[in-house]
Each structure stands twice: as C-alpha cells, then as structure tokens.
Amino acid sequence: MSRADQAVQEFLDTEETKLHSLKAFLQIPSVSADPEMKSRVVEAAEFLKSYFEELGMDKVEIFPTGLHPIVFAEKHASIPGAKTLLFYGHYDVQPTDPLGDWVTPPFEPSIRGEHLFARGSSDMKGQIMATIFALESVLKSGELPLNVKFILEGEEEVGSPSLEGFIQTHTDLLKCDMILNPDVGMINKDTPTVVNGLRGLSYFEVRIDGPKVDLHSGIFGGNVANPANVLASIIAQLHNPDGSVAIPGFYDRVRPLTEEDRKMIASNPTTDEEFLEVTGSPMLYGEQGYTMLERHGARPTLDVNGLYSGFIGEGAKTIIPAYAKAKISCRLVPDQEHAEIYELAEKYIRSIVPPTVRVSFIKHSGGPAYLADDAPGLPNLIEAYKATWNNDVVLKREGGSIPVATVMQKELGVKSILSGFGLPDDAIHSPNEHLHLPTWKKGIQAYIRFITSFGA
Ligand SMILES: [Zn+2]
C-alpha cells in the first residue's frame, strides 16, 4: 500500500468521528460581525487550539488582536530539510438572518441527503477541518514529509482588519515555501478547480460642480451648464463603441492573452447561457473580440458603481442640480498598476470636462491583479486532484479579489494556491448554507495525497 493509500485508509476508518468533530465546531456561533458573539468567536478559536493540541502539534498559540484572535499551529516534518506548507483559513462565519428561512437552526448541524446544513459548513469551517483531518490522517499513519503550519483568522467576514498587520509582524513565524488557501470553490462537484488569477482594483469618485446651489430650471436652464448632463456625457466617453475602455493608455500594460491562456480559460465548462441566467439581464454585453470567460477574469473593465445628482425623490422638482457625482471602479489584470490607472483616468476626464463646470476627484481603494499559475506546490495539488476525481483540473481566473493572497505574496514572498471544495449552490452567506459531504470527503483524500506527494 502506498503512503497516500495508507493515510486515505486511516481517514476512511475514522470518517464518522471526524464528521462528529466538524459538527461540534459548527455548533459554535462564531459570527464575527455580532458584538454579542465575541466570546463565542473566542470559543471557536479555543476549539481549534484543543483539537491541534490533541493532534500533538509542536506549537499552538492563540494571538489576540484588536477584534478576534488569530490561531496559529505548527507541526514539524519527520524528516530534516523538509519544505513548509502554510494553510490559511477563517473560522468566523456570516450572520444568520433571515433566521426564519432556515429549515433547521443554523448552529444545529443537520444532515439531509448528501448535505450537512449549518452556518459555516461550506464557508469555511468544513474547509478548515478538511485540511486538519488530512494532516491528522497523514500523522496517524506514518511519517510527515512536510512542515505544516496553520494561520486561522476570526475576522474574514468583517474585512480582516487585523490580518495584514499580524502577517507583517510575524513573517518569521509564518515563513513557508507553499501556501494553500481553500476559501474558494469548485465549478461543479466533478471538476476540481484552482483559481489561478484574480483581478485588481482601482476605485475613485468624480464630482462635477456647477452653480453654487440647485437653480430654478425655468429661470436658469439654458444659460448654465447642468452638472448632471455634463457627467452623463463624460461617462458616455469612457467606453468605445466596441465595449473597450476609451482612456488613453488604459491597455498599455495589459499582458496579452496567449493561445495557451485562452485554451485554459476555455476549458471551464460554464456556458454563456448559464452565466446569463445568474444575471437576469436580457443579454450579455462586453468588450468585442473576447469570450465571456475571458472577460470574466482576464480582461480589465471600467464601471460606474454609483451615480448621484439633483432631485431623486418622488414626483417632480424642476432644478438645475448644483453638482453630480459618480463612483467608478476599474477591475485590473496583470500588469496594470492601480495607481497609474487612476492617474490616467483622472488625466483623461480632466481633458474632456468643459470649462463651464469644475471637476474634482476622490481616490478610494486600489490593489494589483494577482496571477498564480506558478504558485509553488501547484503541480503536486493538480496531480492529487486528478488521482482523486479521475478528471481534469480546471484553472480559473476569478473576476474579484482575495486580499489575503496579495498580502501574503508581498510579506512572505510566496504565492498562494487558491483551491477548496465548496460548490456554487452551497448557499454561503445565505440561509440553509450546506456542505456536500461526498465532495468534502474527496477533498480530504486529495489533501492527503497532496501532503504525502512531497515524500516521494
Ligand atoms: Zn470564506
């Protein structure tokens, strides 16, 4: 029996006990956003600490932060000179309202069919325990070929206010060669999925000021520029007729998609029809010359996220508004620089604003895109997935961002492998969140194969 098969067997023999432990973890209402649950969040951290201690980890520590604690654990490899794998996860969960929509109470884990229903079952207590159970089975069945570390935070669902500072001040503790972050899902239960790209962001606000107050549109209309009209005209000039962004220089640094990139992106089986159905829009729209999947994660965008001007109450009020504002964000791809994109946008908008109004800008958040085709350990994980699912692995570029991956790359110098076993219909953040148990169990077996693969 191979080293991996021995550990998988250990898991299969103890599956029931492990499911029991997961349920106990899910019973703790670690809702990070609710001040009344603060002690329960600590209780979840302590649950992890005692589980790690029973497992015989070499170091386990709860670090207090300004809000909810960070749990750290470490186990040394059986062999000297081994590589170090760091698991990231969050043990806090989303609030449960509307509570009345839950079939069974959110913190009373209940199995119906193939699913385990509870808040946090998929996002991401189930994923955390999958990594711990995989390590447990490897430990109990023989040698550990890797140093394994865990960093588990309790603030992800409230924007991780303490995490970046903690990573910056604990780079030695977190030193590693590989990072696995399972806080993402699979495209479906038969297709193991790795997110290998995330888009960056540049977010800003444009304000157009005209008259000093809202003016009577009968008396003044026709003699002063209307800031709402002007802003609408500016926004209309931000895109070309082919759907591309009209800001000069916007695409200068965009890394073109290679044939190989396009092939990889096209291997995602999601169809245009499926994607359209989620949106409820009458039809898809986007930059010409690219597929929906390419536009989804591999092409940059510019969108108005909010628009405000004049009278927006019930009925009619005849004014020339004093000002108009738009909130605008650009989703960025490698190698665009968010600060430079902001500057290009400001420069272009200033160049098209007429002298009849004044323009001002507020720069909000920004962050770079992230590409991790070359994350260390990824080939081992892909092999482990293939062996477990007997199916090809899809590498997927995601449209959003995962800030922790960017922070870890900056502070620890290691790119994260983003890959977990949640499914699109797990209802994370919604009532009746659930975990597909057969997929979860396969996931544990895949992690076991991943960890043991480093022994070869
Ligand atoms: Zn999550």
Side-chain angles (χ1 to χ4, degrees):
M1 218 193 236
S2 78
R3 179 73 191 84
D5 290 344
Q6 286 170 27
V8 166
Q9 195 53 52
E10 200 286 336
F11 167 67
L12 296 172
D13 292 343
T14 55
E15 221 180 274
E16 279 312 307
T17 326
K18 289 185 165 96
L19 190 56
H20 193 78
S21 299
L22 171 61
K23 284 187 186 165
F25 189 28
L26 289 168
Q27 280 170 8
I28 307 168
S30 50
V31 181
S32 51
D34 184 349
E36 295 200 344
M37 296 286 182
K38 203 166 182 335
S39 67
R40 310 306 302 272
V41 179
V42 173
E43 193 183 323
E46 275 161 1
F47 174 95
L48 289 166
K49 182 169 183 263
S50 14
Y51 202 94
F52 280 132
E53 282 168 351
E54 268 169 48
L55 216 61
M57 300 295 279
D58 294 306
K59 182 183 168 85
V60 186
E61 196 168 341
I62 294 185
F63 290 89
T65 73
L67 188 58
H68 302 303
I70 289 173
V71 181
F72 175 84
E74 177 174 13
K75 180 74 189 169
H76 302 310
S78 326
I79 44 166
K83 286 197 154 81
T84 302
L85 168 66
L86 174 67
F87 281 113
Y88 161 85
H90 66 84
Y91 65 85
D92 61 326
V93 299
Q94 282 275 315
T96 55
D97 49 296
L99 200 54
D101 287 358
W102 287 78
V103 175
T104 46
F107 298 110
E108 291 175 24
S110 134
I111 294 179
R112 294 196 290 283
E114 292 189 324
H115 296 101
L116 172 62
F117 287 80
R119 171 58 87 225
S121 55
S122 174
D123 181 20
M124 66 173 294
K125 285 177 172 170
Q127 315 294 331
I128 288 181
M129 293 316 283
T131 63
I132 298 175
F133 293 155
L135 173 66
E136 181 174 0
S137 291
V138 175
L139 283 174
K140 289 198 170 150
S141 60
E143 293 199 321
L144 178 66
L146 279 175
N147 303 303
V148 178
K149 294 178 178 180
F150 290 85
I151 176 173
L152 305 170
E153 65 160 321
E155 299 180 343
E156 198 274 344
E157 303 293 6
V158 290
S160 304
S162 311
L163 188 65
E164 183 166 3
F166 181 84
I167 295 172
Q168 278 167 349
T169 50
H170 293 84
T171 49
D172 273 345
L173 184 75
L174 301 171
K175 197 171 171 343
C176 60
D177 305 290
M178 295 170 276
I179 300 169
L180 183 60
N181 176 345
D183 199 16
V184 295
M186 297 168 60
I187 52 179
N188 60 50
K189 69 177 173 49
D190 301 315
T191 314
T193 310
V194 174
V195 173
N196 68 337
L198 301 165
R199 287 198 287 192
L201 183 74
S202 173
Y203 201 124
F204 57 94
E205 216 170 300
V206 186
R207 179 178 167 124
I208 300 293
D209 279 276
K212 59 186 177 192
V213 291
D214 290 353
L215 298 175
H216 189 293
S217 66
I219 299 172
F220 297 100
N223 267 317
V224 290
N226 179 324
N229 297 9
V230 172
L231 183 60
S233 147
I234 289 167
I235 290 169
Q237 293 174 71
L238 294 176
H239 286 91
N240 297 311
D242 66 0
S244 63
V245 176
I247 296 171
F250 186 82
Y251 292 97
D252 282 3
R253 286 186 199 270
V254 172
R255 201 186 298 175
L257 290 177
T258 62
E259 273 316 304
E260 207 182 313
D261 289 336
R262 301 190 97 157
K263 243 167 71 190
M264 201 199 298
I265 292 168
S267 71
N268 182 333
T270 310
T271 65
D272 285 12
E273 289 68 31
E274 286 165 349
F275 198 83
L276 179 63
E277 194 177 315
V278 177
T279 69
S281 294
M283 67 183 284
L284 292 179
Y285 159 85
E287 190 185 4
Q288 272 169 35
Y290 296 91
T291 66
M292 172 278 288
L293 288 165
E294 288 167 356
R295 297 194 297 243
H296 171 62
R299 292 295 296 169
T301 62
L302 180 150
D303 276 294
V304 174
N305 302 122
L307 203 50
Y308 180 88
S309 186
F311 177 68
I312 55 168
E314 289 277 320
K317 184 177 181 225
T318 45
I319 54 160
I320 309 288
Y323 66 90
K325 305 199 277 194
K327 291 179 191 280
I328 295 175
S329 70
C330 300
R331 291 285 177 178
L332 309 178
V333 301
D335 300 308
Q336 288 177 303
E337 302 267 353
H338 68 93
E340 184 183 52
I341 291 298
Y342 168 74
E343 279 163 26
L344 290 171
E346 178 178 341
K347 192 173 158 205
Y348 173 61
I349 292 171
R350 283 193 189 281
S351 79
I352 56 176
V353 171
T356 48
V357 294
R358 288 172 294 268
V359 64
S360 56
F361 293 82
I362 298 173
K363 187 178 170 186
H364 290 291
S365 49
Y370 180 79
L371 205 57
D373 302 73
D374 54 349
L378 184 56
N380 297 60
L381 185 66
I382 289 176
E383 279 313 309
Y385 281 166
K386 281 184 183 161
T388 308
W389 266 272
N390 282 318
N391 197 0
D392 279 338
V393 176
V394 162
L395 298 178
K396 180 185 172 203
R397 289 216 197 169
E398 197 65 82
S401 5
I402 299 183
V404 62
T406 319
V407 171
M408 285 189 168
Q409 188 185 355
K410 198 170 108 216
E411 301 298 333
L412 307 176
V414 181
K415 287 186 181 179
S416 300
I417 306 171
L418 303 168
S419 190
F421 312 117
L423 296 176
D425 61 356
D426 281 352
I428 64 169
H429 296 207
S430 301
N432 303 308
E433 176 177 352
H434 53 276
L435 179 69
H436 187 238
L437 290 169
T439 301
W440 179 72
K441 288 173 188 172
K442 272 190 180 170
I444 294 171
Q445 296 174 42
Y447 281 162
I448 289 173
R449 294 197 170 97
F450 173 60
I451 295 172
T452 50
S453 75
F454 291 94

